[in-house]
Amino acid sequence: MTLTTADGLATAPAPRLDWPFLAAAVLATAVLVALVLLDGQVPSAALLVLGFALGAAFLKFEFSFTAAWRRFLVRGEAGGLIGALVLIAVAATVIVPVAALVPGFGGAIAPIGPSLLIGAFVFGIGMQLANGCGSGTLYTAGGGSGRMLIALAFFIAGSVVGSLHLPWLLDLGGIDPVLASAHFGAWGGLAVTLASILAVALLVAFVAARRGASFLPRPALLVGALAIGALAIGVFLAGRHPWSVTFGFTVWGGKIATLVGFDLSAAPFWQWPGPQRALAESVLTDTSSLTDFGMIFGAMAAAALAKPFARTPWPPPGSLLAAAVGGLLMGWGARIGFGCNIGAFLGGVASGSLHGWIWFAAALAGSALGIRFRPLFGLSRE
């Protein structure tokens, strides 16, 4: 329907709801919630609902780690990057002290060594080619992007390959996890974590100012950062561990590989207790998978509310190839580097773990290289 103003001039068509996709997203989420509630898993139901809200929030506020990093590296604009740091600071206010003080809760921690550096660097390249990170791939695929469905498929495949390589990369050595709360206590660790976030925010703001670019987040982006930060706290409280995205992809890929005849039982990664249990049990017992499913359906619902769903034309072959290559690199890098922008950067820094900052630095360097590769696939460097 086209609207007209009081003087008779035509305006842009009003957005219309896409009821079938909206109903499908809500129904699918409701069915999953019912299934886990029948099994008595109230926290699992909460994770599905929180994931749904996260998918809707990411799409509504157009919250993108990938684009924010690219704008910072290419133009010096730091508003998106500072918005992400605000999100992490919000999550840290609960994650650091609760993980340190409450039995049964834990932070996102990882050793520091070649695996972390290589994985994060490769992930950074991949995210700029795919034009999305772990969370970005989920919510844009859920929002109807066929290109990102390709990225997601290759992300899953790359994650399984990475699971086969992770053990021997860990054998290259490194140092044990460095956790702020282990050295300064729960509240001292929180103070150190927030101070580190502030220091990085001031640094990127200084870089932006030197380049004559903006460093202030858009108001809507800031609201989105606060909302997503609060939802990340909810995921932590329901799952007793910081929000993770890419482990779910590894589990999905492992199950698919097993179904088509691959035997993963002898692979060291799949003999570790967590992956072994996840491979053997239903995906509805995996906390990462639950939030991932919720994000897909939440983004689908938000997209269907805003406009007819998935009506954009397919991009050219070069762009699709970039999505596939980027997805593969992200999957491999995420598994080698202990996660993506969510599990490693957000989760690591918000837990007060030094590996989160090292992951960020290595992934940012990888992104700088990935941006240089984008024109090879017909993509703009900006």
Side-chain angles (χ1 to χ4, degrees):
M1 179 178 92
T2 300
L3 300 180
T4 56
T5 60
D7 56 7
L9 296 176
T11 64
R16 61 183 177 85
L17 304 183
D18 204 333
W19 289 109
F21 282 99
L22 176 60
V26 174
L27 180 61
T29 305
V31 168
L32 292 177
V33 168
L35 288 173
V36 296
L37 286 178
L38 285 173
D39 197 35
Q41 300 299 319
V42 175
S44 296
L47 288 170
L48 282 163
V49 174
L50 288 163
F52 188 96
L54 281 164
F58 267 92
L59 196 76
K60 169 66 177 177
F61 295 108
E62 299 179 348
F63 201 96
S64 170
F65 289 97
T66 305
W69 289 26
R70 191 163 60 247
R71 284 193 291 266
F72 176 69
L73 290 167
V74 174
R75 300 185 226 158
E77 295 178 5
L81 189 48
I82 290 177
L85 294 173
V86 170
L87 188 167
I88 295 172
V90 170
T93 58
V94 172
I95 294 175
V96 172
V98 171
L101 297 173
V102 182
F105 284 85
I109 61 176
I112 299 168
S115 179
L116 174 67
L117 293 169
I118 295 169
F121 184 80
V122 170
F123 185 92
I125 297 172
M127 69 187 271
Q128 294 302 334
L129 295 180
N131 214 31
C133 56
S135 57
T137 301
L138 276 177
Y139 87 81
T140 50
S145 170
R147 182 183 189 277
M148 296 312 284
L149 284 173
I150 290 176
L152 178 58
F154 280 88
F155 202 137
I156 292 169
S159 186
V160 176
V161 176
S163 75
L164 303 179
H165 296 161
L166 177 59
W168 66 261
L169 278 167
L170 290 176
D171 289 340
L172 295 177
I175 63 174
D176 291 336
V178 178
L179 197 61
S181 59
H183 294 276
F184 303 101
W187 301 110
L190 175 59
V192 168
T193 299
L194 294 178
S196 70
I197 295 171
L198 177 60
V200 173
L202 291 174
L203 176 61
V204 298
F206 173 76
V207 171
R210 285 292 299 268
R211 296 182 64 179
S214 170
F215 57 85
L216 295 175
R218 294 178 289 106
L221 181 68
L222 193 57
V223 172
L226 295 173
I228 294 169
L231 290 169
I233 290 173
V235 170
F236 169 71
L237 295 176
R240 296 176 172 260
H241 186 276
W243 177 22
S244 169
V245 169
T246 59
F247 182 73
F249 296 172
T250 308
V251 173
W252 303 351
K255 288 182 177 294
I256 293 170
T258 301
L259 284 174
V260 297
F262 288 94
D263 182 10
L264 298 176
S265 61
F269 175 87
W270 295 102
Q271 292 177 348
W272 297 345
Q276 185 181 57
R277 181 174 58 253
L279 187 61
E281 297 179 355
S282 165
V283 291
L284 296 183
T285 64
D286 173 46
T287 58
S288 182
S289 293
L290 291 168
T291 51
D292 288 351
F293 290 144
M295 280 196 73
I296 291 172
F297 294 129
M300 182 186 293
L305 279 169
K307 59 184 179 180
F309 184 82
R311 300 293 193 269
T312 55
W314 277 77
S319 179
L320 297 178
L321 179 60
V325 173
L328 196 65
L329 293 175
M330 283 196 296
W332 189 86
R335 196 68 287 122
I336 296 303
F338 309 108
C340 63
N341 297 70
I342 301 301
F345 182 34
L346 189 163
V349 174
S351 299
S353 178
L354 180 60
H355 91 279
W357 286 123
I358 294 174
W359 187 96
F360 168 66
L364 193 65
S367 285
L369 182 59
I371 290 169
R372 291 181 176 272
F373 290 154
R374 282 170 61 88
L376 299 177
F377 298 89
L379 303 175
S380 168
R381 290 185 64 176
E382 297 190 19

